Amino acid sequence: MAPTDRCDYSPPWGNASIIGVAGSSGSGKTSLALAIVAAMNLPWVVILSMDSFYKVLTPEQSAAAFRSEFDFDSPDAIDFDKLVDVLRELKKGKVAEVPIYSFEKHARLDKTISIYSPHVLILEGIFALHDERVLDLLDLKIFAEADGDLCLSRRLLRDIRERGRDIEGCIKQWFDFVKPNFHRYVGPQRELADLIIPRGIENKVAIGMVSDRVEKILAHKSKLHQVELRRLGEVASDSPLLPNAIVIPQTNQVLGMNTLLIDPATSKEDYIFYFDRMVTLLVEKAIDFLHFQPKQIKTPQEYVYMGLKKSGEVSAVVILRGGSAFETGLRRSIPDCRTGRVLIQTDDKTGEPELHYRALPANLSKDGLVLLLDPQMSSGASALMAVRVLVDHGVPEERIVFVTYMAGKIGVNRLLSVFPEIKVVIGRMGDDMESRWVETRYLGC
Amino acid sequence: MSQPAPSQSVGPLYRSESQKPTATVSTKLEHDNVHILPQTPQLIALLTMIRDKETNRADFIFYSNRIIRLLVEEGLNHLPVVSQTVATPVPGEKYAGVRFEGKICGVSIMRAGESMEQGLRDCCRSVRIGKILIQRDEETSQPKLFYDKLPEDISERWCLLLDPMLATGGSALMAVEVLIKRGVPEDHILFLNLIASPEGAVNFAQRFPKVRVVTAFVDRGLNEKNYIVPGLGDFGDRFYTM
């Protein structure tokens, strides 16, 4: 398939919706954001605090900060450029690295937190509605309204309890910086808001309205994603199996193992034994795609042999839960294989895959080959999502090998029409809409 | 050392020549009862690991086992199967499959052949394994049978004869004779081998044309001491004691 024939796939977290929540310090923005997220209870609604984006201070500014003489409540203290970068990456569905700011040290830590694949992002901070570029990225703008004395008392409690400050410093900061800044910069954001929410988390009606809105956005995204998957399925159903799909040779032994694995009368012990054996064959086939370079060696008798050595490491990413059935077989060929995990669950009602969890090895993109392991591929929807996750983490397509025991033609073609440069190694072609019995039999539930 | 070592670029068809590194590959043989594993870059890299004198024992064992598993898988494909239709997990659906036919057993030529038992067990869990000890007689320098312990019903079984190195083929040929004397039909014997010399493989093919030899690599030849060149040294020592 020529690169121009490539189909696009937009994951459900593509074009993430961003909700901005601004308001005075102590107005209850964080609680409000938390209440909205709690009302949804979904892993793909994420809060991003603007506190993470304080600028790196110069030594003089840092000294001032420790004397409580630095103005943290002015827009100048915020690194809007960094914030805009992060928001744009998330809007594109990519991985974004969010800095971590330490209030004790008044400095950015070396570590970052990576955010990936939120469908909805809630940006909260006193200046959430301040920067033009941020405003352009927001889908809903909220201003949290609260009385000044309430704000001050909340702020005092928080700064002393959680941020290690003393009371004199806090009060000094309030009258020197927070209050004047509120009137100059924070308050005017009211004019730009779509929604002004008074009384914070006590305002159940407002929280309900916002969470209804978020629910609607999520439902809409889910619908678009399902349409997208159907569209890709139509593209895929017409064409013959694409060349980058490699079905292992159906030798007598492979056919015999297939028969044992398919037969419901096979005992659980035999099933596991033959499945592990099959996986080893699949993995050996998959790692043939590694690149090699010449290497000359000497045998114990000092004879020279012109051989080869691999020019990169193989790592694996298991698609949970089914992929865990591949691990025994995988470790027979690569005992120390670095292995990442993603949990992708398919919604029973809609057939839509959902990314619940991911833990990937660092520097995955530098490996020679990344095997994606899933025992069964039917619609290819979760495979699409898993490959997309790897690509978003910088793994070049041509270094990804999707390894599966059983796959349907439409699913494989759907995957390869979106990612034509990956390889798919298959143990046996099956029907397109088969239930996921392979892992169920292996894991016994 | 009858012929030069063949060298070619190795890799899958879809890769351009420039992406295929050059390496020494197995010598080709004309005999159709000698089956040489496909010379994939992966296999060559595994063989490079076990030939290299710098490779430590743990790695030697691990990488030999990987090749041995491939040999066993290839060897087992020569065993007969019969059609069998089974039910599937999808209600009402049938699958036209096959069933493994016939009993098998492994026979390892001590001691190096015993190193291949794990690989065999990885593919055939409860396989019976017989043993044959053959040593070279110091006086005549001919192989001599010292010991054998084989399944009682071996004549009804397919035999997978295990020996990683095939140099002149003296002991392997003697082992085949032992099996045939026990009533195993010649065409029920498969000889699984990692590295063979062309002389050894040809000897075998001519003497027992019905025994199938499955090997990962046919090397360049033998030296004056009858060691395989380039070979990998003493397999048993490297696997068990070095």
Side-chain angles (χ1 to χ4, degrees):
Chain A
M1 182 177 269
T4 46
D5 296 337
R6 181 187 286 265
C7 298
D8 281 327
Y9 163 67
S10 173
W13 59 83
N15 192 22
S17 301
I18 308 177
I19 297 173
V21 183
S24 165
S25 172
S27 63
K29 304 174 298 294
T30 314
S31 323
L32 193 62
L34 284 169
I36 295 167
V37 171
M40 313 295 310
N41 191 27
L42 288 172
W44 30 84
V45 183
V46 166
I47 298 175
L48 182 61
S49 167
M50 284 179 71
D51 288 351
S52 306
F53 294 90
Y54 279 118
K55 277 181 188 160
V56 178
L57 301 185
T58 63
E60 297 80 49
Q61 289 172 324
S62 182
F66 281 108
R67 294 191 308 268
S68 296
E69 284 168 12
F70 183 76
D71 186 358
F72 280 106
D73 295 272
S74 141
D76 290 338
I78 303 284
D79 188 347
F80 279 103
D81 293 342
K82 180 79 192 159
L83 173 63
V84 169
D85 284 348
V86 165
L87 293 180
R88 284 187 180 148
E89 285 301 292
L90 291 172
K91 197 88 186 168
K92 277 190 267 177
K94 303 280 180 205
V95 185
E97 297 298 332
V98 178
I100 303 173
Y101 189 84
S102 159
F103 289 97
E104 282 87 8
K105 296 178 187 160
H106 288 302
R108 247 180 221 178
L109 302 184
D110 292 335
K111 288 186 296 185
T112 56
I113 292 176
S114 63
I115 295 190
Y116 178 61
S117 74
H119 302 201
V120 175
L121 184 79
I122 302 177
L123 173 70
E124 64 89 8
I126 52 174
F127 295 118
L129 308 180
H130 178 83
D131 190 287
E132 278 293 330
R133 295 165 298 170
V134 175
L135 283 169
D136 284 344
L137 292 164
L138 295 181
D139 297 271
L140 177 62
K141 306 176 195 87
I142 295 173
F143 188 85
E145 188 82 309
D147 278 343
D149 46 4
L150 187 64
C151 293
L152 173 59
S153 46
R154 281 205 192 122
R155 184 181 161 103
L156 285 177
L157 286 176
R158 181 193 63 197
D159 279 6
I160 293 162
R161 277 187 195 156
E162 293 168 25
R163 294 184 182 173
R165 309 285 171 73
D166 60 80
I167 189 153
E168 288 80 9
C170 291
I171 290 174
K172 179 175 151 101
Q173 227 179 3
W174 178 269
F175 287 103
D176 287 358
F177 301 123
V178 182
K179 204 172 173 190
N181 274 317
F182 178 81
H183 291 297
R184 202 175 316 146
Y185 300 113
V186 182
Q189 294 180 112
R190 238 190 239 110
E191 308 294 319
L192 302 164
D194 301 315
L195 205 59
I196 297 170
I197 300 183
R199 302 190 312 281
I201 48 169
E202 288 157 36
N203 194 336
K204 296 275 194 301
V205 175
I207 291 169
M209 283 168 68
V210 175
S211 62
D212 281 352
R213 167 102 189 160
V214 173
E215 239 160 44
K216 258 191 206 126
I217 294 172
L218 287 174
H220 179 65
K221 279 181 181 297
S222 164
K223 203 169 276 168
L224 285 180
H225 185 226
Q226 288 166 50
V227 170
E228 177 95 358
L229 290 173
R230 270 199 297 281
R231 177 180 66 85
L232 292 170
E234 281 156 21
V235 173
S237 63
D238 308 334
S239 39
L241 193 63
L242 293 168
N244 271 6
I246 297 105
V247 183
I248 58 164
Q250 301 292 296
T251 61
N252 280 347
Q253 288 292 314
V254 168
L255 290 175
M257 283 192 266
N258 283 342
T259 311
L260 284 161
L261 292 173
I262 289 170
D263 188 352
T266 302
S267 72
K268 183 166 157 56
E269 288 73 21
D270 276 347
Y271 185 89
I272 290 173
F273 177 80
Y274 286 106
F275 191 78
D276 288 341
R277 189 177 149 197
M278 174 64 74
V279 170
T280 310
L281 285 178
L282 293 172
V283 169
E284 289 286 352
K285 186 78 193 169
I287 51 187
D288 269 344
F289 293 106
L290 199 56
H291 283 258
F292 293 86
Q293 63 202 53
K295 186 191 184 191
Q296 186 172 315
I297 55 102
K298 277 191 177 162
T299 71
Q301 276 125 6
E302 304 295 327
Y303 290 115
V304 171
Y305 175 72
M306 275 300 301
L308 296 176
K309 76 181 244 238
K310 59 183 178 182
S311 50
E313 290 301 316
V314 179
S315 57
V317 173
V318 171
I319 303 175
L320 295 174
R321 72 168 181 159
S324 62
F326 268 57
E327 288 192 87
T328 307
L330 170 71
R331 280 179 218 292
R332 279 193 193 157
S333 298
I334 318 170
D336 56 346
C337 190
R338 292 193 310 143
T339 312
R341 318 174 85 68
V342 289
L343 174 62
I344 296 178
Q345 290 285 88
T346 303
D347 186 303
D348 285 340
K349 280 184 230 106
T350 61
E352 189 196 6
E354 294 167 342
L355 176 67
H356 286 258
Y357 169 78
R358 102 204 120 87
L360 300 174
N363 300 325
L364 197 59
S365 56
K366 297 205 174 62
D367 283 331
L369 210 58
V370 182
L371 309 182
L372 253 179
L373 308 176
D374 192 358
Q376 196 172 353
M377 184 206 292
S378 48
S379 70
S382 52
L384 266 179
M385 187 173 272
V387 173
R388 171 70 200 238
V389 171
L390 293 193
V391 170
D392 284 345
H393 285 78
V395 184
E397 255 183 59
E398 66 271 15
R399 289 202 217 141
I400 299 173
V401 186
F402 194 95
V403 188
T404 182
Y405 168 58
M406 193 170 89
K409 192 193 84 176
I410 295 177
V412 174
N413 278 355
R414 185 175 346 208
L415 180 62
L416 285 172
S417 61
V418 176
F419 300 108
E421 285 168 51
I422 69 163
K423 310 286 182 307
V424 184
V425 170
I426 305 156
R428 174 171 87 82
M429 292 307 289
D431 283 335
D432 270 298
M433 292 313 289
E434 237 169 277
S435 67
R436 292 190 68 94
W437 57 266
V438 177
E439 72 216 37
T440 306
R441 288 208 67 195
Y442 191 92
L443 299 168
C445 60
Chain B
M1 267 178 254
S2 43
Q3 46 190 318
S7 179
Q8 69 179 51
S9 48
V10 282
L13 288 175
Y14 64 86
R15 252 176 221 169
S16 68
E17 286 301 311
S18 63
Q19 282 185 307
K20 293 195 224 174
T22 304
T24 305
V25 295
S26 172
T27 303
K28 288 191 179 67
L29 292 179
E30 294 303 317
H31 305 266
D32 32 322
N33 61 334
V34 180
H35 304 271
I36 303 167
L37 291 187
Q39 302 290 298
T40 63
Q42 182 75 238
L43 179 68
I44 301 290
L46 293 174
L47 284 161
T48 308
M49 284 299 290
I50 64 167
R51 287 177 190 276
D52 190 347
K53 66 172 179 179
E54 305 296 336
T55 300
N56 64 35
R57 204 168 70 89
D59 281 345
F60 181 85
I61 293 171
F62 175 76
Y63 290 105
S64 331
N65 266 331
R66 265 184 69 187
I67 306 175
I68 291 162
R69 251 195 329 258
L70 296 174
L71 280 172
V72 172
E73 289 286 358
E74 175 58 27
L76 292 174
N77 273 324
H78 292 272
L79 301 182
V81 290
V82 290
S83 306
Q84 185 193 26
T85 299
V86 294
T88 76
V90 183
E93 292 285 318
K94 294 271 179 235
Y95 175 73
V98 300
R99 181 161 50 82
F100 302 134
E101 174 76 346
K103 294 189 285 185
I104 63 168
C105 72
V107 175
S108 40
I109 301 176
M110 287 154 77
R111 111 192 112 156
E114 293 175 289
S115 65
M116 299 172 75
E117 292 173 7
Q118 181 58 49
L120 179 60
R121 286 222 189 276
D122 283 345
C123 300
C124 313
R125 192 168 21 172
S126 52
V127 65
R128 277 159 214 238
I129 294 178
K131 311 252 185 194
I132 291 181
L133 176 64
I134 293 169
Q135 303 260 274
R136 194 180 297 220
D137 190 307
E138 295 295 336
E139 285 165 29
T140 62
S141 83
Q142 290 300 306
K144 189 175 169 197
L145 176 67
F146 278 78
Y147 169 87
D148 67 282
K149 176 76 182 161
L150 301 167
E152 297 279 334
D153 58 352
I154 192 162
S155 61
E156 296 157 25
R157 292 177 181 270
W158 288 76
C159 290
L160 300 171
L161 188 60
L162 310 174
D163 195 357
M165 304 298 280
L166 178 68
T168 58
S171 26
L173 291 172
M174 178 167 273
V176 172
E177 278 170 14
V178 171
L179 296 180
I180 290 175
K181 262 188 214 147
R182 292 293 178 93
V184 183
E186 193 180 317
D187 61 357
H188 280 203
I189 301 171
L190 284 116
F191 180 61
L192 304 187
N193 164 260
L194 250 93
I195 297 181
S197 75
E199 294 89 333
V202 167
N203 245 344
F204 218 108
Q206 288 171 347
R207 183 81 185 281
F208 296 111
K210 289 187 194 154
V211 173
R212 272 162 277 197
V213 178
V214 179
T215 184
F217 202 97
V218 179
D219 252 350
R220 210 156 75 216
L222 295 170
N223 68 9
E224 65 289 347
K225 287 182 180 158
N226 282 338
Y227 285 143
I228 302 176
V229 178
L232 49 66
D234 187 302
F235 193 95
D237 279 353
R238 294 193 71 184
F239 197 96
Y240 287 115
T241 58
M242 242 160 73

